[in-house]
Amino acid sequence: TELGSVSMVGNHGEGLRGTAATLVRNAILWDNGDDLVNVTAGNLYNCDVQDGDNAGVNGCLSTDPSFDAAFYLAPASVCVL
């Protein structure tokens, strides 16, 4: 399974429950009970994950994405390319 260009934000339980084969690209996982469950950290690419999973590897980081109203990214967000 591959997920790309998604935001999973504000879930009280889990942000994303996957498998060792789940690939995640260009995603924001923020303010979840646990951002990632059963997803191999090496399968994250260019993601912003609050709890730091894979930070510094494969272009991933753990920096506030700076959401504006209604989960739009602010122009100065680190997640805007």
Side-chain angles (χ1 to χ4, degrees):
T1 304
E2 184 170 339
L3 297 169
S5 301
V6 298
S7 297
M8 297 179 191
V9 180
N11 295 295
H12 295 289
E14 301 165 346
L16 171 63
R17 175 177 285 274
T19 68
T22 301
L23 294 174
V24 185
R25 300 178 189 277
N26 305 316
I28 299 171
L29 296 121
W30 207 263
D31 197 28
N32 300 296
D34 188 2
D35 292 314
L36 293 167
V37 178
N38 296 335
V39 177
T40 303
N43 288 350
L44 299 175
Y45 299 90
N46 302 312
C47 295
D48 190 4
V49 184
Q50 183 177 19
D51 62 14
D53 293 324
N54 221 40
V57 178
N58 296 336
C60 294
L61 52 101
S62 180
T63 302
D64 187 338
S66 300
F67 286 114
D68 231 343
F71 297 111
Y72 288 97
L73 292 171
S77 170
V78 296
C79 297
V80 175
L81 299 175

